[in-house]
Amino acid sequence: MRLWLKFNLVMIIAFTVGLAAAAWFSRGIAEATARAQVLHEASLLMQQATSVRGYTAAEIEPLLAEQSAQRFLPHTVPSWAAQQVVRTLQRNFPDYDYKEAALNPTNPADRATDWEADIISFFRRDTAAREHIGERQTPNGPVLTFSRPFRITNEACLTCHSTPAAAPVPMVELYGPNNGFGWHMGEVIGAQIVSVPMSLPLGRAAQQLEALLISLGAVFLAMLVLMNVLLHVVVIKPIRGMTASAEKIAAGDFSEPEFTAAGRDEIASLARSFNLMRRSLANAMKLLDA
Ligand code: HEC
């Protein structure tokens, strides 16, 4: 096998293995970073919804208590306020979602779908779990879900969610007596579920990885060209010259000029030794002829 072929083969194999390893590691890091970013966005949205709940319960509900006695105002209900605020946010970020999903909801729009019911069941089984992080495939790409359980820990909730008789009459008139009742203390009745699209950050991570791999490939190609030029000028060309010269001398032809051996590298010292050997051979031939 030719020298240049050996060098190129070894370099190409080493580069391919190195590139595959770099791609594998970088992909893992890029995807983990993208996921962490999505999870951070999800936590922010969750915190925002939870803050709106707290604000509504602490500030709005007491303010509208009198009006609520005559006409039920959903505006005073933390759940309604939190979801309403996110709906406004969705005008600009339609792929982001926040839902207060319940198995037996007051508002039928809050009824848990299949996958939401699975998350609620998870919280019902695992009573110590405080959050659930999952991933779902949707027609618009993968979506990260970040959920927290709704466990009834406050007796006040049961005023409106235990029996229709205990609930404010205007509320029952508005929502009906058939759903959203029968909740118990300590029971997980639903979950706050935030959905954040992952396709954009994952796509960005893939683009960055692609740019990294392309630039690594370009650097490698440039190095390969440089190595081939060097190999040719410094090693292959002088050795070819010496081979041709050695073949002529072996046939008794001393007409070729001696090598000009500049430098101190191995090829230059080989050229000097070659010249020496040639002179001794020429002398020996002269002695033989005499
Ligand atoms: C004044 C009555 C009232 C009280 C007190 C109340 N809720 Fe509600 N809750 C409602 C109404 C009405 C809705 C439906 C709001 C809507 O239309 O989105 C609701 C909705 C919910 C929902 C969304 C699922 C569903 O049923 O539609 C959850 C979860 C919830 N409430 C939890 C609680 C918790 C936890 C407490 C106690 C901290 C509580 N609620 C106290 C009236 C009340």
Side-chain angles (χ1 to χ4, degrees):
M1 197 190 280
R2 299 271 180 110
L3 206 52
W4 69 265
L5 190 61
K6 270 187 202 163
F7 269 73
N8 280 288
L9 264 184
V10 170
M11 293 285 284
I12 288 171
I13 291 172
F15 174 74
T16 313
V17 172
L19 191 74
W24 192 74
F25 277 119
S26 314
R27 209 181 91 148
I29 294 172
E31 281 189 2
T33 313
R35 272 205 177 77
Q37 186 200 329
V38 174
L39 190 59
H40 180 72
E41 283 179 10
S43 316
L44 264 179
L45 191 54
M46 176 70 87
Q47 196 48 52
Q48 187 227 18
T50 308
S51 305
V52 173
R53 283 191 127 264
Y55 174 79
T56 311
E59 313 274 343
I60 307 296
E61 206 181 319
L63 215 60
L64 297 180
E66 266 178 43
Q67 285 95 320
S68 296
Q70 285 126 42
R71 186 166 70 93
F72 189 77
L73 299 170
H75 315 76
T76 61
V77 176
S79 170
W80 191 85
Q83 297 192 89
Q84 203 60 24
V85 167
V86 176
R87 258 171 233 136
T88 317
L89 184 140
Q90 278 177 322
R91 284 187 209 142
N92 292 329
F93 298 94
D95 293 335
Y96 290 65
D97 195 28
Y98 169 77
K99 182 168 170 187
E100 301 206 349
L103 296 176
N104 171 22
T106 314
N107 186 337
D110 298 332
R111 187 174 301 284
T113 57
D114 285 354
W115 65 270
E116 290 165 344
D118 287 345
I119 296 178
I120 298 170
S121 305
F122 163 79
F123 285 128
R124 283 176 160 236
R125 276 194 312 272
D126 189 344
T127 48
R130 291 281 162 272
E131 56 186 46
H132 172 281
I133 297 166
E135 220 179 290
R136 250 164 39 79
Q137 292 302 326
T138 71
N140 294 335
V143 168
L144 179 127
T145 61
F146 177 54
S147 318
R148 289 207 173 128
F150 265 123
R151 186 182 300 281
I152 304 299
T153 52
N154 186 345
E155 288 279 355
C157 310
L158 298 183
T159 319
C160 301
H161 292 296
S162 59
T163 59
V169 176
M171 177 191 139
V172 182
E173 280 169 1
L174 191 62
Y175 288 91
N178 300 323
N179 43 286
F181 298 107
W183 300 3
H184 305 290
M185 276 302 279
E187 184 189 3
V188 172
I189 55 88
Q192 295 176 282
I193 302 179
V194 167
S195 298
V196 176
M198 299 180 78
S199 43
L200 198 69
L202 281 182
R204 236 182 268 139
Q207 266 176 1
Q208 280 170 358
L209 183 66
E210 203 179 291
L212 175 79
L213 297 185
I214 289 177
S215 45
L216 276 179
V219 170
F220 172 73
L221 267 185
M223 300 276 289
L224 200 67
V225 169
L226 200 67
M227 186 201 73
N228 274 294
V229 171
L230 261 179
L231 194 67
H232 186 77
V233 173
V234 176
V235 181
I236 295 178
K237 208 170 144 219
I239 287 183
R240 276 197 191 140
M242 277 181 242
T243 312
S245 189
E247 276 166 5
K248 278 192 182 164
I249 291 167
D253 177 359
F254 283 84
S255 62
E256 286 276 310
E258 287 202 348
F259 292 111
T260 41
R264 289 176 177 213
D265 64 14
E266 288 79 355
I267 299 291
S269 69
L270 175 66
R272 276 193 294 274
S273 309
F274 189 88
N275 287 341
L276 265 178
M277 190 188 73
R278 171 191 167 145
R279 270 177 240 151
S280 332
L281 194 65
N283 284 340
M285 298 281 269
K286 263 187 217 148
L287 280 177
L288 276 181
D289 285 348

